[in-house]
Amino acid sequence: MVINQTSLGIGSGILAGALWGLVFLAPQLTSGFLPLQLSAGRYLAYGLVAAVLIAPSWRRLLRVLSWKEWRALLWLAFTGNILYYVFLATAVQAGGVAMPSLVIGLLPIAVTLVGSRDRHAVPLRRLLPSLALSAAGLACISWQSVSSTGADSLLGLGCAAGALVSWTIYAVSNSRWLGRLEGVSGHDWNLAMGVVTGLEALLLAVPAFAGADAGHSNAQWLHFAGVVTSVAILCSILGNALWNVASRALPLSLMGQMIVFETLFASLYGFLWEERWPSALEWAAMGLLVGGVVACARAHASTGHG
């Protein structure tokens, strides 16, 4: 049973990463639109789809979830969805696809560090080799960003770092909430978060779309709607549901390692989009980041909890 649960968790984590990697392409596919518009559009679509899917369970959830859980959903929706995607979209439009995806590659280490006080956590000294490899990977990314495109790339790097922090907070908090919930499936939790996210996105809609008709044709708006709706369904509905399955099947110390698949798939999509091979520094950054995750996983395995 433990082996089956672990396999289920790892498989779900890999599939979630493959879907989440698509998020990095959306800002490139809608380059004429602002990051705030992307975030508002995606999460309005997420909220609408989630509301339709959750309707049959809505009364039961209102009975099961207390104000404490709804308050947590408000916070998780803001940090893991709204704030994260504004940072990410800005980073992609300012610095391209590859650089933000590699910075987000530090998430496995960040989540492991923040969750280091959880049960089965390993001593910090055992994580030092993985932290050193990850720091070296980030140094490669930073060097290329500074030397390649200057101020725009620095803005992208800063926003990518903001996305890293906001999603680390979300991943750790969400995993802990899923471990405490009773009578609520991971899928229903994700749909409830979608409804809350949609309500929060309404607050973004006015500043995001006020006077936004200028410069965009009807065809461009239809293209925009198609992209944000596709991202909402594939990444927010399906991707988050798979991630919640993995979060319940795996301990947080191992769960953090699954995030690297988002980075690997996002990098793959990014290089295909840009029709190029990775540069030497990008190869080095990916190798160092993956090496950091492997070292971190070995540190956990050596304690018998990996």
Side-chain angles (χ1 to χ4, degrees):
M1 176 62 72
V2 173
I3 295 177
N4 289 339
Q5 281 291 100
T6 300
S7 299
L8 173 66
I10 292 174
S12 298
I14 292 172
L15 289 174
L19 290 171
W20 281 348
L22 296 170
V23 168
F24 291 78
L25 286 181
Q28 297 287 62
L29 293 171
T30 55
S31 57
F33 292 86
L34 299 173
L36 195 63
Q37 293 172 332
L38 272 173
S39 186
R42 171 188 176 179
Y43 291 122
L44 283 172
Y46 179 24
L48 287 172
V49 175
V52 171
L53 294 177
I54 205 174
S57 307
W58 187 246
R59 290 185 177 179
R60 179 179 60 83
L61 287 176
L62 287 177
R63 292 195 304 268
V64 174
L65 296 177
S66 68
W67 167 239
K68 187 177 181 181
E69 280 84 27
W70 286 109
R71 188 171 57 192
L73 283 168
L74 285 166
W75 171 245
L76 290 169
F78 177 72
T79 56
N81 292 331
I82 304 291
L83 185 61
Y84 168 75
Y85 200 58
V86 169
F87 274 135
L88 178 63
T90 304
V92 170
Q93 290 189 349
V97 176
M99 181 271 290
S101 67
L102 291 174
V103 173
I104 301 300
L106 292 172
L107 271 170
I109 305 303
V111 170
T112 300
L113 275 178
V114 175
S116 61
R117 295 183 180 180
D118 282 14
R119 222 162 40 112
H120 303 323
V122 302
L124 184 60
R125 58 183 172 78
R126 291 181 177 270
L127 297 176
L128 289 179
S130 65
L131 293 175
L133 288 168
S134 298
L138 182 58
C140 290
I141 301 166
S142 302
W143 177 260
Q144 172 145 324
S145 297
V146 172
S147 61
S148 59
T149 54
D152 283 346
S153 191
L154 280 176
L155 171 65
L157 183 62
C159 289
L164 172 67
V165 172
S166 63
W167 212 85
T168 298
I169 294 170
Y170 164 80
V172 174
S173 300
N174 187 58
S175 179
R176 289 172 176 169
W177 270 105
L178 284 168
R180 292 195 295 263
L181 287 174
E182 294 182 2
V184 179
S185 68
H187 181 58
D188 282 346
W189 181 253
N190 177 41
L191 293 179
M193 191 178 302
V195 173
V196 171
T197 304
L199 293 174
E200 291 182 349
L202 287 173
L203 300 177
L204 291 181
V206 174
F209 297 109
D213 288 335
H216 296 299
S217 65
N218 289 336
Q220 287 173 319
W221 278 111
L222 284 174
H223 174 75
F224 173 83
V227 170
V228 296
T229 302
S230 298
V231 170
I233 294 172
L234 294 175
C235 304
S236 296
I237 299 293
L238 295 178
N240 290 5
L242 287 165
W243 183 256
N244 285 345
V245 170
S247 292
R248 280 190 154 170
L250 302 175
L252 183 58
S253 56
L254 180 57
M255 190 64 204
Q257 314 313 313
M258 296 298 100
I259 307 172
V260 77
F261 292 103
E262 177 186 12
T263 299
L264 295 177
F265 280 105
S267 298
L268 171 62
Y269 302 152
F271 295 133
L272 289 173
W273 173 261
E274 296 171 5
E275 297 181 341
R276 67 177 179 88
W277 290 98
S279 68
L281 280 174
E282 286 166 341
W283 278 118
M286 286 189 291
L288 289 165
L289 290 174
V290 171
V293 173
V294 172
C296 190
R298 285 180 177 175
H300 284 83
S302 66
T303 67
H305 300 305

